[in-house]
Amino acid sequence: MELNLERVCVRIEGRPILSDVVLSVPEGSFVGLVGPNGSGKSTLLRTVYRSLKPSSGVVRVGPDDVWQMSARVAAQRTAAVLQDASATVGLTVAEVVALGRTPHLGLFDRESAVDGDVVTESMDRTGVLAFADRAFSTLSGGERQRVLLARALAQQPRLLVLDEPTNHLDVRARFELLDLIGELGTTTFAVLHDLDLAVRSCDQLVVLDAGAIAAAGPVLAALTPVVLREVFGVAASVERHADGVVRITYEAKPLAD
Amino acid sequence: MSRIARATPLLVLGLAVALVLVVLLAVGIGSVQVPLADTWHIVLAHLTGSGQVDDLVADQIVWRIRLPRVLLAALCGAGLAVAGVVLQALVANPLADPYVLGVSSGSSLGAALVFTLGAGALGGLGVSSAAFLGAMIAVALVFALGQRRGRLAPTRLVLAGVAVGYLFSAATSYVQLSAAPNELRLLMFWLLGSVAGAQWSQLSIVAVVVVASVLLLVLYGRRLNALLTGDESAAALGVDVRKLRIGLLLLASLLTGTLIAVSGGIGFVGLMIPHLVRLVVGSDHRRVLPVAALFGAVYLVLVDLISRTVDSPNELPLGIFTAAFGAPFFLWLLRRNKSVG
């Protein structure tokens, strides 16, 4: 489903965190949200998965305002893979993934065979079925992220949002995870810290700087040398190479003045 | 489904049977011994409202004196264990127990006032009512101090609970110093917990509160599991974290307040039983809650039995034994389990 933010503002304790953010993630696309630390990326994402209500503005998933829906209905459409899940103590992999069925089940519902199938299929798709009965806390970083992705898939979302999913992963695990996300085909909106991965994997980029959109659009149009210099403070250029892959080339002296 | 998930219904059934047996056994043991078969007949006769009871003395002892107290012990054990499970999840702190939000300090002050100054101290309230009132005042204070712009932050809540706890304890200590020795003994006994004062009349209220709380909490088991993965993650799973936390904190406080009003401050059960149960069945609340309730009930019935037989005819407070027996067992289990720490 399409995601649209219409003039979203967030103020926390009077301090503006996001101001007049307008952005659009088209159906079926993979859009990356990039920007320096503290630019408001995670805050922006929180307004989408219904954790932080915007001070003003509208967040639409499909045609509907997320903040007019109940938390449960919103979570039937949008699934999130977040950074803070390391605290998950004592649950097995299968139990963590089964939590993805939460928005589809009421207080009195029990998990049906269908729910069980969805959970198993989700684990299979992200390659974690083999350790379904292991404790989540015993997994490596890359395995954990794949489990959390499986949990998000078990929500059967129309929109997938991810907050720095490749953080703390080794280089192979990063590529594996982004490949996996790319193959899903679900509309995806991801905060990505790693610019090299972002330009490589995303269809479009949104650049956030101090709570406002600095640039947005297809990767090459959004991440121009000017944006790289003024927002990120580096001297670099982004090009599509002969093999079709977009890469960033940093200059010999990469620190822009 | 994992092995432990499949085994849980069996475990619940086993514990339920064990609870019935332990209750009947405990009812039979005391200064006058009643054989298990006789106990069974007497209880059955009363439950069905029919049948002949031949031995009127045994009937008095079993039905009037021992059964209410044994049942109260079971209810308190179940309630405290469940309250502990929920509070540990709600404030995301393994050291939390049912008293973490100041319930016990508030009720202690209420009870201390009535013990030392008499029922006139709080407008004619008895010990139970005064304790309940004190508990609710303390909890209200902790909620007011622990919230920030309508959000209850776990850390802030726990710290507010600690601070309010000290405040009320200071007042209780002051009251204690001015108490006469015999009043002090009664108060000490109450503070360490006892179900000796059990009566049928109060049992029904306690039973309704405990059973309703356990059933309601089991329904919320899936959401509590979501909360284990963190507030943000739970929100993304469609859980209204703010409402859930406030609602269940209120429920847990009401449950704990009710229990402490009728049994005093029974320690350890609400802290350790939840951990013990998790070591055995994992963290899924839909397994932990029913198992903890039954296990807590069995445990406290046994502890109460010991507290009134070990130094018979004298009675000792429950708080001494809950920890004296529970702590070594818990430590043994902790050392055996490699997945912790």
Side-chain angles (χ1 to χ4, degrees):
Chain A
M1 256 179 195
E2 216 183 1
L3 166 69
N4 281 293
L5 271 68
E6 298 163 11
R7 303 200 56 158
V8 168
C9 297
V10 171
R11 272 181 294 278
I12 295 176
E13 295 182 19
R15 211 157 50 90
I17 308 291
L18 294 176
S19 33
D20 279 332
V21 170
V22 178
L23 69 82
S24 169
V25 176
E27 167 104 54
S29 66
F30 183 177
V31 175
L33 178 61
V34 296
N37 285 340
S39 57
K41 302 187 295 290
S42 295
T43 304
L44 195 156
L45 222 54
R46 287 180 69 194
T47 68
V48 178
Y49 62 77
R50 213 181 174 287
S51 158
L52 180 72
K53 191 171 182 172
S55 317
S56 63
V58 180
V59 179
R60 287 187 202 283
V61 175
D64 306 311
D65 183 346
V66 169
W67 287 93
Q68 298 291 324
M69 302 176 198
S70 72
R72 218 181 115 192
V73 172
Q76 289 169 4
R77 290 190 187 182
T78 308
V81 175
L82 306 173
Q83 297 186 66
D84 72 338
S86 55
T88 308
V89 193
L91 294 179
T92 66
V93 168
E95 284 166 355
V96 170
V97 177
L99 283 176
R101 299 309 293 161
T102 307
H104 296 279
L105 296 165
L107 219 48
F108 295 95
D109 295 329
R110 302 196 57 172
E111 277 155 39
S112 67
V114 178
D115 294 310
D117 291 346
V118 172
V119 169
T120 308
E121 196 203 315
S122 304
M123 288 194 284
D124 194 26
R125 276 171 84 185
T126 66
V128 298
L129 195 54
F131 35 91
D133 284 339
R134 274 179 61 190
F136 180 79
S137 54
T138 64
L139 303 182
S140 73
E143 289 165 338
R144 284 185 191 193
Q145 285 303 66
R146 280 178 9 228
V147 171
L148 293 177
L149 186 61
R151 188 189 85 175
L153 293 184
Q155 275 175 262
Q156 297 180 304
R158 311 287 301 276
L159 170 70
L160 183 62
V161 299
L162 306 105
D163 193 359
E164 302 196 6
T166 59
N167 224 359
H168 307 305
L169 300 193
D170 56 38
V171 67
R172 189 181 161 85
R174 290 179 187 211
F175 285 122
E176 279 175 352
L177 191 73
L178 281 175
D179 275 359
L180 197 56
I181 293 165
E183 285 162 13
L184 296 175
T186 312
T187 312
T188 303
F189 186 45
V191 169
L192 291 168
H193 205 64
D194 185 333
L195 283 182
D196 297 286
L197 279 176
V199 297
R200 190 184 178 99
S201 316
C202 297
D203 303 318
Q204 293 187 26
L205 289 182
V206 174
V207 182
L208 202 61
D209 185 23
I213 304 278
V219 175
L220 292 174
L223 219 56
T224 59
V226 177
V227 169
L228 281 167
R229 189 176 66 237
E230 288 182 355
V231 176
F232 295 93
V234 293
S237 59
V238 183
E239 293 158 306
R240 187 176 297 280
H241 286 220
D243 56 7
V245 175
V246 180
R247 294 189 180 88
I248 303 181
T249 312
Y250 297 94
E251 291 185 11
K253 291 189 170 176
L255 299 183
D257 301 324
Chain B
M1 210 163 41
S2 64
R3 205 163 45 87
I4 190 66
R6 275 190 300 270
T8 302
L10 215 63
L11 184 61
V12 168
L13 191 71
L15 280 171
V17 172
L19 179 59
V20 173
L21 282 176
V22 164
V23 165
L24 289 176
L25 200 74
V27 168
I29 296 174
S31 48
V32 177
Q33 304 282 351
V34 182
L36 194 59
D38 293 6
T39 316
W40 176 244
H41 280 302
I42 292 166
V43 173
L44 206 64
H46 278 277
L47 285 183
T48 55
S50 62
Q52 266 321 97
V53 178
D54 309 322
D55 188 345
L56 285 175
V57 177
D59 180 64
Q60 271 292 321
I61 290 170
V62 167
W63 188 258
R64 285 261 156 261
I65 298 169
R66 286 196 199 142
L67 192 60
R69 118 173 246 169
V70 171
L71 288 181
L72 185 62
L75 287 169
C76 286
L80 288 172
V82 163
V85 169
V86 173
L87 281 165
Q88 283 166 5
L90 290 176
V91 302
N93 190 330
L95 288 176
D97 72 359
Y99 310 134
V100 71
L101 299 182
V103 170
S104 67
S105 57
S107 62
S108 300
L109 181 58
L113 284 172
V114 174
F115 273 120
T116 52
L117 305 176
L122 295 171
L125 288 183
V127 175
S128 286
S129 312
F132 186 76
L133 184 71
M136 290 304 115
I137 290 173
V139 168
L141 212 56
V142 170
F143 268 58
L145 295 169
Q147 60 90 30
R148 198 153 173 233
R149 291 189 309 278
R151 274 185 104 89
L152 287 168
T155 317
R156 183 177 281 266
L157 206 60
V158 171
L159 290 177
V162 170
V164 169
Y166 272 106
L167 201 66
F168 276 74
S169 297
T172 307
S173 302
Y174 181 74
V175 173
Q176 271 177 298
L177 282 175
S178 58
N182 64 321
E183 292 165 354
L184 203 57
R185 205 189 116 75
L186 282 173
L187 179 59
M188 260 308 268
F189 212 91
W190 188 90
L191 291 177
L192 285 167
S194 170
V195 287
Q199 291 155 9
W200 278 112
S201 58
Q202 57 179 203
L203 214 54
S204 54
I205 301 175
V206 180
V208 168
V209 171
V210 170
V211 172
S213 301
V214 173
L215 291 180
L216 208 59
L217 290 169
V218 170
L219 285 181
Y220 279 96
R222 191 181 291 115
R223 282 151 216 233
L224 282 167
N225 289 348
L227 209 58
L228 280 185
T229 65
D231 282 16
E232 288 294 306
S233 163
L237 288 168
V239 175
D240 195 328
V241 176
R242 205 174 80 96
K243 268 195 214 156
L244 181 75
R245 182 167 279 131
I246 292 176
L248 294 191
L249 280 175
L250 284 174
L251 180 67
S253 304
L254 196 69
L255 174 61
T256 313
T258 306
L259 297 177
I260 206 167
V262 293
S263 67
I266 303 170
F268 187 82
V269 177
L271 176 66
M272 289 302 172
I273 300 272
H275 287 298
L276 223 146
V277 169
R278 281 194 208 100
L279 286 177
V280 178
V281 302
S283 293
D284 188 334
H285 283 93
R286 288 167 295 173
R287 294 199 299 269
V288 173
L289 286 167
V291 173
L294 288 167
F295 191 76
V298 171
Y299 184 65
L300 211 57
V301 169
L302 289 175
V303 166
D304 178 51
L305 178 61
I306 293 166
S307 79
R308 67 187 161 87
T309 49
V310 76
D311 188 24
S312 179
N314 291 322
E315 292 213 9
L316 292 164
L318 291 175
I320 292 176
F321 293 101
T322 46
F325 292 105
F329 179 55
F330 177 73
L331 289 172
W332 172 73
L333 209 69
L334 199 61
R335 285 187 67 85
R336 261 192 58 203
N337 193 304
K338 292 181 185 66
S339 70
V340 183

